[in-house]
Amino acid sequence: MSSERAEPEVSRRRPGPRRARGMPSGPAEVRRAVLDAAAKLFSERGVADVALREIADEARVNLGLISRYIGQRDDLIRTVFADLTEQLVGEIHDDPTGKKGFEPDTVMGRWTKVLTHLVIADPQAAIEIGSRPVDELRNVIERSYEQSPESSALRAAQLMASAIGWRMFEPYLIAAAGLEKVPIEDVREELTRTHRRLGATPFPSPPDPQRQR
């Protein structure tokens, strides 16, 4: 009987594909990359016009990982909106009266674009997920301007309506009002100042000023 020990069998299994340097790795990184990529593309092109494969390519992840870590398309849209909602609440909390972004790549710009889609496609999700920024704004108004709960709620709704509407229709409003010659930053800064004054106005509002003849 031979005393030689048998050599261990060498595995013939081929190595899997290597992950390119810089690609997201692990559930947390993949999820973060997908949410950021989806928010970016949704804001630039509209929620309905972006395919899941395009989001996967932008995030540099395998398409199948989106369904594994987040879910189907509707799940992704709601998750992106929830993530942007948390970011917006943080911005309102950290700088209550500061100007929020107007550009598509800002939190407010991206949040507005996804909100407008959900208001039509899934209004219940828009309310359930997207109410926190309005509630945070209501708290700010009540705390900063010593408004009543009723007044704070109304002013928060009015302020958010103005902020959302301006971001949705800014090109139209500028052209329709003939404001092309006014620097856009001046227009936006004036809108922010108007919002501060509205937040400080109690409800019911003071009497209307007398119309001059």
Side-chain angles (χ1 to χ4, degrees):
M1 184 174 180
S2 174
S3 60
E4 294 183 359
R5 299 179 62 182
E7 293 292 331
E9 183 179 352
V10 178
S11 173
R12 293 185 175 86
R13 188 175 63 182
R14 295 180 179 179
R18 292 185 177 181
R19 180 174 58 87
R21 181 174 298 177
M23 291 181 64
S25 174
E29 283 190 17
V30 169
R31 183 181 173 88
R32 182 73 266 158
V34 168
L35 294 182
D36 290 342
K40 175 179 181 291
L41 294 178
F42 288 164
S43 179
E44 292 174 349
R45 292 165 44 195
V47 176
D49 293 330
V50 178
L52 288 181
R53 181 168 294 280
E54 293 174 303
I55 295 172
D57 290 344
E58 178 73 22
R60 303 185 68 199
V61 303
N62 184 283
L63 177 61
L65 295 180
I66 295 180
S67 60
R68 178 184 297 180
Y69 294 134
I70 297 176
Q72 302 305 310
R73 180 180 176 81
D74 288 345
D75 300 318
L76 174 61
I77 294 170
R78 287 191 290 267
T79 304
V80 169
F81 187 55
D83 184 62
L84 290 171
T85 295
E86 290 302 312
Q87 294 181 47
L88 183 57
V89 169
E91 287 193 355
I92 295 173
H93 181 271
D94 294 340
D95 187 11
T97 60
K99 181 173 64 177
K100 302 301 177 282
F102 284 83
E103 303 301 333
D105 61 347
T106 62
V107 172
M108 185 68 185
R110 292 178 174 182
W111 184 84
T112 299
K113 184 61 71 73
V114 183
L115 171 67
T116 56
H117 170 83
L118 284 176
V119 163
I120 297 172
D122 193 352
Q124 191 59 37
I127 295 171
E128 291 177 355
I129 300 172
S131 295
R132 288 198 58 219
V134 182
D135 189 54
E136 180 65 24
L137 189 56
R138 178 191 61 77
N139 290 331
V140 168
I141 293 171
E142 186 173 352
R143 182 173 63 251
S144 300
Y145 301 112
E146 298 182 348
Q147 299 280 30
S148 69
E150 184 180 43
S151 177
S152 300
L154 177 61
R155 298 310 182 207
Q158 291 173 321
L159 289 173
M160 192 59 77
S162 175
I164 292 170
W166 190 269
R167 285 162 177 81
M168 289 175 58
F169 302 114
E170 184 178 76
Y172 158 77
L173 294 170
I174 293 293
L179 293 170
E180 293 92 344
K181 294 183 179 180
V182 181
I184 189 63
E185 285 305 317
D186 291 350
V187 174
R188 292 171 175 176
E189 182 60 38
E190 179 59 26
L191 181 67
T192 300
R193 288 195 292 264
T194 300
H195 286 172
R196 294 192 191 108
R197 290 193 294 272
L198 179 59
T201 302
F203 171 72
S205 300
D208 292 340
Q210 292 293 323
R211 182 178 179 181
Q212 296 182 355
R213 297 181 179 180

